[in-house]
Amino acid sequence: MKNFNMALRSLFKKGRSNGIKILALAVGLAMGLVLVAKVCFERSYDNFYPDNERIYLVKSDLNRDGKKDSWGQVSGAIAPGMKAEVPGVEFATRYTRIGENNELIMTPEEQYLTATLLLADTSFFDIFPRPLLVGDPKDVLARPGYVMISRSLAEKMGGVGNAVGKTFVRDANHGSPFTIGGVFEDIPENSHLRYDAVASLATMPEWSTTNWLGNDRYIAYVKLLPGTDPNGLAPAIRRMQERNQDMEGLKKAGVDLSYSISPLQDIHNNNKEVKDMNYMLIFMAIILISIAVLNYILVVISTLIGRAKEVAVHKCYGASGKNIFGMILSESFLHLLLSLLLAAFLIVIFKGKIEDLLSASLSALFTLPTMSILLAICVVVFAVTGFVPTWLFMRIPVATAFRSVKESKRYWKLCLLFVQFVATAYLVALLKKRTAQIEKELDNETAAKYMNMAADAVAQAVTYTAQTFTDALKAEGKFTKEKQIEAFNKAKDKTLEILGDAAVNALGEIYGDFDAWVETKIEQVCREIKTPEADKTAATTAAATAASVATTIAATAVQQIAAEAVPAAAPEATAE
């Protein structure tokens, strides 16, 4: 306690540069510890689910003429088939997305909200359980048109207790209302699967959820029984395929379709971009903390001559090596403690900026397991900033108090300073490069968003104009050349109205002459509407086939082989 009191009194003594030491250490720790917390956050994805090590994603593996491909979607019957026919599978579920992330939904009171909506079967919460506030998901997800929603969405609708029984519609489809049957606790930020509402999969047509080939729009997961070897499921999965899929037809078509499972935590952690980002962030954190520690030590060294006589006088008055050790170590501990308090203050002050840059809230970044890792880093920092100065001061001889001592110009100090400058320059260059990459990615993402928005707006505008203006004139035989031009201008004006000024300005920067693009796009949509019915049907079939990727190709190949002995039938549209 005596040493700590002496350290407090020494804080305000002249010539110690304590303010610089504390500030330099605080800034370095604030940035470095935040980056370490971000890496811990990324590594913690999906670890909040009970028995997450037994949860696996089902993947489709295709080998066609020697070309291998793998993706995380399957046909509708695969998940329940694995639960029924593959030993070792405790639960199986599948879901499909409906609409876009954070799409508009509307309540009967015309309250507009945003939500990410999934359609899932009754086993969804068996594999991905959440604390339930109201309702039974088994019952809710068995009823077509019913939905479980998150706490945050329920609170926007008037509270958890008042939300149940209310309805809402997607802004893109007002004809299919959803009735709220229950409320679950919000999904944590470190989840690869984020959603606000889970609706009953019974809403989907039966053929879509029971087909074994094609229409691979479903994401499926299985939870294995304790002690089950995931590598030993392949034979049972193959037998399931042989019982339910035309394996002979696939073989004749040169297609080998199989299914494998991948651990839940690998979905995020094994992503190349995530791994590269983690490596970069941890490297930056090491550099930042190292620079802060080097700064601290360099400032201590710069005050060494000034304090040499003070330490020697202490020794003259009987201070032992143990006393000197305790005195200097107490000062270092106090400096580190104040630096951590200042670092915490800086993190709170810049909370909004940190959360925007790292795409995670501070509460998600600084969890209890993460804090234990950060504490260990602080212990290492204390060891370096405490024992190095202590070792330097303990080497000061008693004779220093009675003779003049000048600062040594040893080259190791210059080398230490050189290392610091090089590390700082490298870090700045790395940050500039990464910033440029992020800006480019954001620009591309923003451009794609506005381009898709523009295409959708044109389609909506043409449809609206046809329903409110064109169709009636055609029925009366009054759709003259002048009316065609008027309809064209109405569609164009409606497109601009849907987009709004901000989107129009952004699209003007992307396309240059946005008016010309809109006019060309309207003409294209109008030509597609005029396309003969047979051509439209064929186009729909082609689009559905492309959307189901290689599995649908395999199914089509089987159908072609089976059809060799019969006349070709007219193409039929497939629905997702």
Side-chain angles (χ1 to χ4, degrees):
M1 191 64 185
K2 179 181 178 180
N3 287 332
F4 196 75
N5 289 332
M6 292 177 62
L8 281 173
R9 291 198 299 269
S10 72
L11 273 179
F12 306 101
K13 288 186 178 180
K14 292 183 178 180
R16 299 290 179 87
S17 302
N18 288 328
I20 296 175
K21 287 189 284 188
I22 292 170
L23 180 61
L25 198 56
V27 173
L29 286 174
M31 293 189 291
L33 295 181
V34 164
L35 294 182
V36 172
K38 171 64 172 175
V39 173
C40 294
F41 170 78
E42 295 293 332
R43 297 293 301 172
S44 70
Y45 260 61
D46 298 314
N47 66 358
F48 58 89
Y49 288 118
D51 304 316
N52 58 79
E53 72 282 354
R54 294 196 281 125
I55 302 174
Y56 293 81
L57 170 70
V58 183
K59 303 177 71 175
S60 298
D61 302 311
L62 189 75
N63 186 340
R64 182 179 176 86
D65 298 329
K67 296 180 180 179
K68 296 182 179 180
D69 194 11
S70 179
W71 64 98
Q73 293 180 220
V74 297
S75 302
I78 301 301
M82 292 183 69
K83 171 67 174 69
E85 302 185 29
V86 178
V89 174
E90 182 178 13
F91 298 109
T93 188
R94 78 272 203 216
Y95 78 86
T96 185
R97 292 187 179 274
I98 178 170
E100 300 179 353
N101 289 338
N102 297 318
E103 72 168 336
L104 279 176
I105 62 173
M106 185 180 71
T107 66
E109 297 79 23
E110 295 189 356
Q111 178 188 15
Y112 282 90
L113 303 168
T114 59
T116 299
L117 183 64
L118 307 181
L119 297 179
D121 60 26
T122 55
S123 298
F124 186 80
F125 284 90
D126 291 330
I127 293 182
F128 300 114
R130 296 300 302 145
L132 299 174
L133 306 179
V134 181
D136 179 4
K138 286 283 187 183
D139 175 59
V140 173
L141 297 183
R143 305 167 69 183
Y146 273 72
V147 62
M148 298 282 297
I149 66 171
S150 66
R151 174 198 284 270
S152 58
L153 185 57
E155 289 174 348
K156 294 174 184 177
M157 291 184 172
V160 173
N162 297 326
V164 175
K166 289 187 176 181
T167 62
F168 66 84
V169 295
R170 296 169 53 223
D171 191 49
N173 183 5
H174 288 196
S176 300
F178 291 96
T179 302
I180 299 171
V183 181
F184 57 85
E185 196 61 69
D186 288 345
I187 305 299
E189 295 177 44
N190 57 336
S191 173
H192 82 283
L193 181 57
R194 303 290 301 278
Y195 51 88
D196 303 291
V198 183
S200 171
L201 193 65
T203 305
M204 294 292 291
E206 184 179 356
W207 69 264
S208 178
T209 58
T210 58
N211 67 313
W212 285 89
L213 276 175
N215 190 41
D216 52 337
R217 63 177 296 164
Y218 295 96
I219 294 91
Y221 298 86
V222 294
K223 185 174 183 179
L224 304 185
L225 289 167
T228 301
D229 180 12
N231 298 319
L233 299 184
I237 295 175
R238 194 66 176 181
R239 289 192 294 270
M240 176 193 73
Q241 287 185 256
E242 292 171 350
R243 285 191 290 268
N244 299 283
Q245 295 176 339
D246 187 358
M247 302 303 290
E248 189 63 30
L250 289 170
K251 184 176 180 181
K252 290 180 180 179
V255 174
D256 180 21
L257 175 65
S258 59
Y259 300 98
S260 59
I261 58 175
S262 178
L264 175 67
Q265 292 192 324
D266 285 357
I267 297 174
H268 183 81
N269 292 338
N270 273 6
N271 183 285
K272 185 180 183 303
E273 292 182 0
V274 172
K275 292 170 75 173
D276 290 345
M277 179 188 69
N278 286 343
Y279 290 141
M280 184 190 71
L281 291 180
I282 202 68
F283 178 73
M284 289 172 60
I286 292 172
I287 294 292
L288 286 167
I289 295 174
S290 298
I291 289 174
V293 171
L294 284 173
N295 276 331
Y296 184 90
I297 293 174
L298 284 172
V299 175
V300 168
I301 292 172
S302 70
T303 63
L304 188 61
I305 298 303
R307 297 201 64 186
K309 289 188 177 182
E310 177 191 337
V311 174
V313 169
H314 277 290
K315 289 184 177 181
C316 289
Y317 280 93
S320 64
K322 181 179 179 181
N323 297 135
I324 301 298
F325 178 86
M327 181 180 69
I328 304 301
L329 204 63
S330 296
E331 289 182 11
S332 298
F333 176 76
L334 179 61
H335 293 165
L336 178 61
L337 183 61
L338 293 175
S339 296
L340 286 173
L341 291 174
L342 180 56
F345 178 73
L346 291 173
I347 291 171
V348 172
I349 289 295
F350 294 101
K351 175 183 176 182
K353 192 67 174 177
I354 292 171
E355 292 180 342
D356 288 342
L357 287 173
L358 301 184
S359 300
S361 66
L362 291 185
S363 60
L365 290 173
F366 294 98
T367 60
L368 190 60
T370 299
M371 292 296 289
S372 63
I373 295 173
L374 300 184
L375 179 61
I377 293 173
C378 291
V379 170
V380 174
V381 171
F382 172 65
V384 177
T385 58
F387 286 99
V388 171
T390 301
W391 177 76
L392 291 173
F393 284 116
M394 288 182 67
R395 292 177 68 244
I396 297 174
V398 176
T400 303
F402 307 102
R403 66 170 183 255
S404 177
V405 181
K406 295 183 179 180
E407 184 177 359
S408 172
K409 302 294 183 182
R410 291 181 181 176
Y411 288 106
W412 70 271
K413 300 177 184 177
L414 299 176
C415 291
L416 192 61
L417 192 60
F418 175 76
V419 169
Q420 179 180 341
F421 279 123
V422 170
T424 303
Y426 179 80
L427 181 62
V428 170
L430 187 66
L431 285 172
K432 285 185 176 180
K433 181 179 178 181
R434 181 55 183 161
T435 300
Q437 291 175 345
I438 292 174
E439 288 178 349
K440 184 178 179 181
E441 291 171 0
L442 289 175
D443 288 343
N444 292 339
E445 183 179 340
T446 302
K449 172 187 173 182
Y450 279 122
M451 290 165 68
N452 291 334
M453 185 187 300
D456 291 342
V458 170
Q460 292 177 32
V462 171
T463 303
Y464 174 83
T465 304
Q467 294 174 348
T468 60
F469 182 74
T470 306
D471 290 348
L473 291 175
K474 286 182 177 180
E476 297 173 4
K478 298 179 181 179
F479 195 52
T480 62
K481 183 68 175 179
E482 291 77 13
K483 294 297 182 181
Q484 291 178 25
I485 295 174
E486 185 179 350
F488 183 89
N489 291 330
K490 284 179 176 292
K492 182 178 176 180
D493 292 341
K494 188 64 178 177
T495 299
L496 299 178
E497 178 188 337
I498 293 172
L499 289 173
D501 293 339
V504 169
N505 292 335
L507 288 163
E509 295 179 4
I510 296 170
Y511 289 109
D513 189 350
F514 181 60
D515 281 346
W517 181 88
V518 169
E519 292 171 0
T520 303
K521 190 67 178 177
I522 290 173
E523 291 174 356
Q524 177 188 340
V525 173
C526 289
R527 284 196 300 270
E528 291 173 355
I529 292 175
K530 295 176 183 177
T531 302
E533 191 62 29
D535 291 345
K536 288 198 298 183
T537 306
T540 306
T541 304
T545 303
S548 60
V549 200
T551 301
T552 304
I553 295 174
T556 305
V558 174
Q559 293 171 359
Q560 290 173 346
I561 293 172
E564 288 179 353
V566 297
E572 294 182 358
T574 58
E576 289 188 349

